[in-house]
């Protein structure tokens, strides 16, 4: 049985500033192969550095057209930031509106195209966020839990409680470093993927858990 996963997003989803671009998505791919050793894991990363929701929406439409020929993946993960959406320079209400509208559009398009599960990558810090921006970050991250089939929890493991990266986990103000990517991966609840895999292919928890 094949478990197919596609990742969409921006530079963090692409693994930028991690060793050999082995970011959180890379670690997820490795973990899924360990968790379901008898499944054939098909993992594609379509993340584009600097992308916002409008640009990623175009990618979604292009991929859906392509998938009509060969079938959609079982799972799509969308990992984007409100920083790329313009939170650092645009009015927050405009940012929240565009981010919310486009994310929900992408989820609906993907579900209509036959994707069984759409997961959203949770939001993450930025060292330039002000206290007001941090409030927006927290509010949107909380709301995202109801937009799709699940959310990958990045903020709780990366946030210093001021909207900035925890010490030792960032490369620059906008990106995690290698250790930061690893910690983001550790914030992912791998049981989200159990419903997509062949139950007979799942390893006992104690034997495979990459979070240990």
């Amino acid at each position: 049985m094949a478990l197919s996963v596609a990742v969409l997003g921006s530079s963090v989803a692409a693994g930028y500033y991690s060793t050999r671009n082995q970011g959180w998505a890379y670690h997820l791919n490795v973990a899924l192969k360990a968790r379901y050793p008898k499944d054939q894991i098909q993992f594609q990363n379509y993340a584009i550095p600097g992308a916002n929701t409008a640009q990623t929406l175009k990618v979604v439409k292009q991929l859906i057209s392509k998938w009509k020929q060969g079938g959609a993946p079982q799972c799509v993960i969308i990992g984007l930031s409100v920083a790329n959406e313009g939170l650092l320079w645009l009015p927050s209400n405009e940012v929240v509106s565009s981010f919310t509208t486009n994310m929900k559009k992408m989820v609906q398009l993907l579900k209509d195209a036959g994707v069984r599960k759409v997961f959203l990558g949770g939001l993450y810090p930025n060292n330039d966020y002000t206290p007001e921006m941090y409030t927006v970050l927290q509010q949107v991250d909380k709301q995202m839990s109801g937009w799709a089939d699940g959310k990958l929890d990045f903020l709780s493991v990366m946030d210093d409680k001021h909207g900035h990266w925890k010490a030792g986990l960032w490369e620059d103000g906008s990106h995690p470093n290698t250790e930061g990517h690893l910690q983001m991966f550790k914030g992912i609840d791998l049981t989200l993927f159990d419903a997509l895999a062949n139950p007979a292919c799942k390893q006992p928890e104690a034997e495979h858990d990459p979070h240990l």
Side-chain angles (χ1 to χ4, degrees), residues 59-102:
V59 174
V60 166
K61 292 177 179 178
Q62 292 169 354
L63 288 173
I64 288 174
S65 178
K66 175 183 175 182
W67 292 336
K68 288 179 180 178
Q69 310 302 320
Q74 293 170 281
C75 174
V76 172
I77 302 169
I78 308 173
L80 291 165
S81 72
V82 285
N84 282 5
E85 202 71 13
L87 185 59
L88 294 170
W89 62 87
L90 293 175
S92 61
N93 62 319
E94 291 183 18
V95 172
V96 172
S97 177
S98 64
F99 188 85
T100 302
T101 299
N102 288 334

